[in-house]
Every structure is written in C-alpha cells, then in structure tokens.
Amino acid sequence: MPDNFWDAIRTQLKELESAKSADDVLRILAHENDPDQTYPRANRPDEGFFGGSGGEDTVREALEEAGWTVLWSRDWCWYAMTALDGSVITYCEGDIYRGDRR
C-alpha cells in the first residue's frame, strides 16, 4: 500500500462532502484515482471504487454531509443514495455504480 494511501482516502472523503451528483461521485472515485493501484481495476463492471472501506470514515457519511439521502440499505456495505439533483449511486463493498443496483 502506498505511503500516502490514507491521506488520499481522506482527500476523497472531503471531496465527497461537496458532491452534488452521481457524476461528481464517479469523478472523485474513478478507478484512476484509487490510491492503491496494486490491483488494476480496468475492465471491471463497477464504475468507481472507494479503497478506504476499512477506515474510520465512510462514503455514506461523506455523502450525507453533502445532503444525499439513503434510498435503501441492506447493510453498512450495500446501499443506494440519492443526490439533491435526483441522481443515484449504489455502493457495494467499495464498488460504486451509477443508479439503483438493487
């Protein structure tokens, strides 16, 4: 894991606190922005990835800070959230998908 891994994760979470749309989330958590490039994510079905899912702070908390609401939740690691503009992302164990992927 890179030395600056958790610094990069904290930066992503801070940026998510002002995410206004699914596009913002997918830009912030794009595969090329994953601080741990140990496992290439090219050709994966998910559209983004959050590598800090084992840390103290969460994507869900950051998006709630930005005004997002939980659409549904099956567990701490699988849920969908809606932005103020109506766009939706689904989070599943770090993988980020556009829309409701129930």
Side-chain angles (χ1 to χ4, degrees):
M1 188 173 330
D3 291 339
N4 64 343
F5 177 83
W6 290 109
D7 291 335
I9 292 299
R10 280 188 286 279
T11 298
Q12 286 181 331
L13 288 166
K14 192 61 158 165
E15 290 177 12
L16 288 172
E17 289 178 358
S18 60
K20 306 227 181 296
S21 67
D23 288 339
D24 289 346
V25 172
L26 293 171
R27 176 185 48 77
I28 294 164
L29 299 179
H31 292 295
E32 59 268 17
N33 296 334
D34 183 0
D36 182 6
Q37 293 293 320
T38 306
Y39 305 103
R41 306 211 186 277
N43 302 317
R44 289 183 46 138
D46 54 338
E47 298 174 63
F49 184 75
F50 178 66
S53 60
E56 293 178 10
D57 299 314
T58 67
V59 168
R60 183 174 175 161
E61 291 167 333
L63 292 179
E64 286 175 337
E65 181 71 25
W68 290 57
T69 57
V70 175
L71 180 62
W72 57 263
S73 178
R74 298 289 184 261
D75 201 348
W76 64 270
C77 61
W78 186 33
Y79 54 84
M81 296 186 77
T82 306
L84 294 174
D85 74 348
S87 60
V88 174
I89 60 104
T90 298
Y91 179 97
C92 184
E93 297 183 353
D95 296 329
I96 308 292
Y97 301 91
R98 181 185 308 277
D100 182 352
R101 294 282 192 102
R102 219 177 309 208

